[in-house]
Structures are given as C-alpha cells and as structure tokens.
Amino acid sequence: MTKPVADQTFQSLDARSRDIFRLIVESYLQHGEPVGSRNLSRLLPTQLSPATVRNVMSDLEQLGLIYAPHISAGRLPTQQGLRFFVDAFMEIGDLSEEERRVIEAQIKASGRGQSLDHMLTEASQMLSGLSRGAGLVLAAKTEAPLKHIEFIQLEPQKALAILVSQNGEVENRVIEVPPGVTTSQLIEASNFLNAHIRGRTLAEAKTEMARLKEETRAALDSLSQSLVEQGLAIWAGTESDAPARIIVRGRANLLENVTAQADIELLRHLFEDLETKEALIQLLGLAEEGPGVRIFIGSENKLFSLSGSSLVVAPYRDQESRVIGALGIIGPTRLNYARIVPMVDYTAQLVGRLLR
C-alpha cells in the first residue's frame, strides 16, 4: 500500500515513467552504478529510443527522484527517490520455509541455557551474516520478573548482592552493610526476600516489601531488616536512567567493495555514530513509533544522518506487548529492502517470543 505522498507522485507518473524509474532504482540496488538511457532503452518492456528515455529521465530529475552523479553520467535514485520506490513500488516478499527454519534454529540455539546478552549477540551476528550489512540489537533496560537474590560477605562491612532475573540476567553490586552483620544474617535476609520477590518485578517487589513492613520487623532483627531494604534499594535508583545496551556485529561487511575516500569517510561517521550511547534511546523511540518494521533511508534517520546509511529496524515486545528492545540491519542505501524487511520482522518476533 502506498503512502499519501508517494501515492500522489505515483499517480502523476505515466506507465513508461514508472517503468524507467523502477529500472533505474533496481539497477542501483543490484549494481550500485548509474544507468544510462541507452541501457535503459534495451531493458524496457516497450521499445523506446534513447532520446525519449532521456526526456523521461529529465522529468524524473525535475521531480527530485533521480540525479546525475557526474556530467554525462547515467542516473541514480535520490534519497527521496529511494523512499518513493520503497513506499510505492517495492513488493515485500516472504521468507521461505527453509529460511525460517534456519533463523529459528539459530535463535533458539543461542538462547538455550545461555544469557540474554549471548542470545542478542547471536541474533545481531546472524542478521549481519544473512544481510551482508551490520546487525544491530538494542536492548532496553527491562523490569524482568525476579528469580533470586543473594548476599555474600566480602569484608566486615561489604557484601556482594547478586540479583538474578527469570530471563537469565544476573547483576552484581557491592554494597555497604551495617557493622556487625554476620553470615547467618545475610542468609536470613536473602531467604526472606526470596520468599516474597520471586516472580515479581523490582517495582512490584518494592511495593510488596512496603506492604509487609510490619511483618518484616517481626520476622527479622534490625540488621537483617536493613539488608532487606538495602538489597532492593541498590537497584531502585537506577532503573529509569540505566543505559540501554547496543550490540553491533558485522561492521567489516560495510567495508566490502568500498574504495572511494568519500565513502570511507561516510563509514567513519557511521562507526562514530554507533559509539554514541546517548542516541540509543532515540533509536528505540524510532522503532516504537510504528507497529512493525520501519525503514529509514539516509538522513531520514537522524542518528546516522552524516553517514547516509539506511536502517531497517523492528521492535521486539514482552508478553504485555511493551517494546523492550529493537533489532535491525544497518547498511548502504542500496540494501535489498524487499528481502531484509521480512528477515528483520521474523527475527524480532522470534526474539520477543523467547523472552516471554
């Protein structure tokens, strides 16, 4: 289905203009080279002279859909032209059963008995391998249900607090403990917390502990009670401002067949952008704005505007349908969008299902 602006432009073009434009874009996506009027006249389903093709190309250029990179060169699609092609012409295919089986097997194998980070890293690597672009996964800070908390004494007034979530994530923090705390009190505090927090998120566990305040006082001595409160408090202040994690694999793929200094400079900007952690939440926001896969071409994506790269990204969701992360593929603007969109979409759905 075409978008309103694309639909208007589409209606303004006659059949031969559409055919010529489509061939220019398809040639660019396949070869990355400008295509001239003589070659186009041979490829068209109806016979047109090179002169007639040039006239049509001139009209398309005036519409801002194509441009000539050099004098007397053929034509390439502009960023606006690529967006128009994606919205109005591109037919999104579907993955074959074999491709689905391969993706599903790799994702499930990476998540079997492994940490969440390992599964997401493997998903990023797999997307890179399948697309020959760079695979990207953004994991937002989530409030997964808790499984276990434990305190281990390190020094007389320091202990290691270990928080284990049901999705396999483990976080360790060193905390200060009150003077005189014994190993048995650490165990007692751990046992009390584990009896009440299992299956609850951190926010829910804090609410439950507040509700059980009188029971906590009755069940524990003052030092153990202090540990219970501190055990939850060390994570409470960091949930909202904790950074999202970004996993990128396959950057070397972007260097393939790049020789021009200008292109190398664009990739340098891209790699710098990928290291800008402050921009990660923006990327998650971009994914949240749409119900499924989103395509950002060149400067449409403010994150990578200097590099002119394209991004195909889809969110993955928890069991409440909340967006908890995003994954996708970064590459040059001549990505094979029709193939990559269903690949990203299916992978995001699989990751979301495995995290539920």
Side-chain angles (χ1 to χ4, degrees):
M1 181 181 287
T2 58
K3 295 184 179 180
V5 173
D7 192 47
Q8 292 172 18
T9 307
F10 187 84
Q11 296 300 329
S12 70
L13 300 177
D14 59 25
R16 69 181 181 184
S17 296
R18 294 172 192 170
D19 285 341
I20 289 171
F21 173 72
R22 181 177 51 78
L23 285 171
I24 290 171
V25 177
E26 288 176 350
S27 176
Y28 167 71
L29 293 179
Q30 186 173 359
H31 306 291
E33 299 292 335
V35 59
S37 55
R38 190 171 299 277
N39 284 334
L40 283 169
S41 66
R42 297 192 191 104
L43 296 170
L44 286 166
T46 56
Q47 190 171 4
L48 291 176
S49 69
T52 303
V53 172
R54 280 195 295 273
N55 288 334
V56 174
M57 290 166 72
S58 177
D59 293 339
L60 293 171
E61 199 163 356
Q62 287 187 358
L63 287 171
L65 299 178
I66 63 173
Y67 74 104
H70 308 290
I71 297 174
S72 302
R75 298 299 186 269
L76 291 173
T78 61
Q79 178 182 305
Q80 178 186 339
L82 281 173
R83 168 51 62 188
F84 173 55
F85 176 83
V86 165
D87 290 343
F89 285 86
M90 189 176 74
E91 295 182 7
I92 302 296
D94 198 5
L95 298 175
S96 68
E97 285 302 315
E98 178 62 23
E99 287 173 319
R100 287 174 180 268
R101 279 195 295 270
V102 168
I103 293 174
E104 187 168 357
Q106 289 191 44
I107 294 295
K108 285 186 174 179
S110 66
R112 195 175 295 124
Q114 300 289 340
S115 68
L116 174 62
D117 269 359
H118 181 269
M119 184 180 75
L120 294 177
T121 300
E122 289 298 305
S124 177
Q125 186 71 54
M126 182 199 67
L127 287 173
S128 169
L130 291 173
S131 68
R132 303 309 299 163
L136 175 146
V137 175
L138 174 67
K141 188 67 179 180
T142 62
E143 276 201 277
L146 305 174
K147 182 179 181 181
H148 182 75
I149 190 168
E150 186 174 352
F151 300 109
I152 299 175
Q153 192 149 22
L154 302 175
E155 298 175 13
Q157 288 187 248
K158 283 188 178 178
L160 181 67
I162 305 169
L163 189 73
V164 183
S165 300
Q166 288 188 349
N167 63 9
E169 284 192 309
V170 179
E171 292 192 55
N172 300 320
R173 304 274 175 91
V174 176
I175 63 171
E176 300 287 332
V177 296
V181 165
T182 64
T183 300
S184 62
Q185 287 169 322
L186 290 170
I187 294 171
E188 186 180 19
S190 299
N191 289 341
F192 185 87
L193 277 168
N194 288 324
H196 294 92
I197 69 168
R198 187 178 180 88
R200 290 186 166 93
T201 65
L202 185 60
E204 292 167 346
K206 284 178 61 188
T207 301
E208 180 67 4
M209 286 300 101
R211 189 181 70 81
L212 295 174
K213 200 162 188 179
E214 292 305 316
E215 182 181 327
T216 307
R217 285 199 184 114
L220 304 172
D221 60 37
S222 59
L223 293 182
S224 299
Q225 182 185 330
S226 175
L227 281 168
V228 165
E229 292 171 355
Q230 202 169 346
L232 294 178
I234 56 170
W235 280 278
T238 60
E239 284 297 298
S240 61
D241 57 3
R245 290 166 294 152
I246 188 169
I247 302 167
V248 181
R249 290 294 180 271
R251 297 185 194 198
N253 289 343
L254 302 179
L255 294 168
E256 290 180 358
N257 304 317
V258 174
T259 54
Q261 186 59 42
D263 291 337
I264 292 172
E265 185 66 13
L266 288 176
L267 284 177
R268 185 182 67 79
H269 282 302
L270 172 61
F271 293 157
E272 287 175 354
D273 289 337
L274 291 174
E275 298 302 326
T276 308
K277 303 301 185 201
E278 304 84 61
L280 298 182
I281 300 304
Q282 296 178 40
L283 178 58
L284 187 57
L286 293 176
E288 283 184 302
E289 289 171 11
V293 180
R294 301 202 68 203
I295 301 172
F296 299 93
I297 299 172
S299 60
E300 290 179 351
N301 175 9
K302 294 178 182 178
L303 282 176
F304 307 137
S305 58
L306 287 176
S307 67
S309 304
S310 284
L311 170 68
V312 180
V313 63
Y316 55 89
R317 302 171 184 272
D318 63 13
Q319 57 192 7
E320 279 82 39
S321 294
R322 294 175 302 188
V323 173
I324 56 172
L327 56 79
I329 289 165
I330 307 164
T333 53
R334 65 183 200 93
L335 282 172
N336 185 343
Y337 299 100
R339 177 173 177 266
I340 285 173
V341 166
M343 183 191 306
V344 168
D345 187 32
Y346 187 62
T347 305
Q349 291 178 38
L350 277 177
V351 168
R353 286 208 297 267
L354 287 174
L355 293 179
R356 288 169 193 165

